Amino acid sequence: MSRFRTRVAALLAAGLLAGCATARIEAPAVPAAEAEARQLERERTMAADTDWGFEGRVAISNARDAGSGRLEWRQSGARFEVSLTAPITRQGWRLSGGPGGATLDGLPGGPREGGDAEALLREATGWEIPVRSLPYWVRGLRTDPRGAVLQFGPGGRPSRLSEGGWTIDYSWPADAQAELPSRVEARRDDARVRLVVDRWTDGAEAP
C-alpha cells in the first residue's frame, strides 16, 4: 500500500459501528401496489428538496482495508460537499464537486482534482464509494425506478434496493411517520459502505 493510502487508512481506522443499535419497525404489512405508489410520491416530493444534508458515522471496507469516522454531507442541487473526520485524531478529508468535476482536500500532497468524484476518490484512497448515487440511496430513493429492484418492509418503507450492481439495505426509526432512514448499508462485491445517520439537516449548515 502506498504511503498516501496508508495515511487514509490511518485517518479512518478509529471507532466501530457494530455496536450501534437501530430500532426495528413493527408495522402492518402494506400491499405491494400501495407501497410502490407511496414510494413514487416520496421520490417526486424529495426531488424538489434540493438542499439537504446529514451528520453521522460511516464505516468503509474492501478486500484489504477497513476504517470508520464521522461523516458530514451537504447537498445543494447537483453539488455536494462531504467531510470525513477520524474521531480521535480529528484529521480527515473533504470531497466537493458536482457535474463538472470534483476536488479532494485534506490529504498529503495537496488538493487533487478530477472529472469524476468516484474515480478521484478511488484513485486517491482506494475506497469504492458510490458518490453519484448516495444522494438518492441515503434517503431511500432510486436513481432510476426503471433500472432498480426495490423491496418493501413493514409499513411500506424500503427495506432493500438493488441498483447499479449495488445492494442497499435500510433500517428506519421507530417513528412510523419518519420519512428518512436511520441506517443505510450499501455493498458491491468486496466494497461496503455503512452509514448511521445521527441528524438530518436542511443543507444550510456547512460541514
Side-chain angles (χ1 to χ4, degrees):
M1 183 187 297
S2 68
R3 293 180 59 190
F4 190 79
R5 292 189 179 184
T6 301
R7 175 69 180 277
V8 174
L11 292 176
L12 292 171
L16 294 175
L17 297 182
C20 297
T22 303
R24 294 190 176 276
I25 301 298
E26 295 294 340
V30 174
E34 181 180 341
E36 176 65 20
R38 290 183 185 180
Q39 179 68 15
L40 288 171
E41 182 59 31
R42 284 185 71 246
E43 290 172 344
R44 282 193 292 267
T45 300
M46 291 190 178
D49 183 11
T50 59
D51 295 309
W52 57 272
F54 69 88
E55 300 172 1
R57 289 154 284 167
V58 62
I60 310 168
S61 61
N62 56 30
R64 298 175 301 175
D65 306 307
S68 61
R70 293 289 306 174
L71 183 71
E72 298 183 19
W73 188 299
R74 184 178 66 173
Q75 192 79 24
S76 180
R79 298 200 60 80
F80 58 87
E81 185 171 320
V82 183
S83 295
L84 186 145
T85 307
I88 296 177
T89 65
R90 305 301 297 173
Q91 295 177 306
W93 48 257
R94 182 177 63 201
L95 180 69
S96 59
T103 301
L104 181 62
D105 291 295
L107 295 176
R112 295 193 177 193
E113 297 182 351
D116 181 272
E118 291 185 20
L120 175 64
L121 196 59
R122 182 172 57 250
E123 178 182 350
T125 69
W127 299 114
E128 185 78 23
I129 301 176
V131 178
R132 288 187 299 270
S133 299
L134 272 179
Y136 296 89
W137 295 345
V138 74
R139 296 193 293 168
L141 310 177
R142 299 166 288 195
T143 62
D144 182 359
R146 296 169 299 180
V149 177
L150 183 60
Q151 300 175 33
F152 298 98
R157 296 190 289 196
S159 61
R160 172 169 289 182
L161 170 63
S162 299
E163 188 174 16
W166 289 81
T167 299
I168 304 95
D169 290 315
Y170 294 97
S171 296
W172 293 80
D175 181 1
Q177 302 303 312
E179 288 292 329
L180 295 166
S182 56
R183 183 167 182 158
V184 180
E185 180 174 336
R187 62 186 185 277
R188 183 176 70 181
D189 299 328
D190 293 324
R192 180 167 296 188
V193 180
R194 291 181 291 160
L195 294 170
V196 174
V197 179
D198 294 325
R199 185 169 76 99
W200 291 96
T201 72
D202 61 6
E205 302 173 45

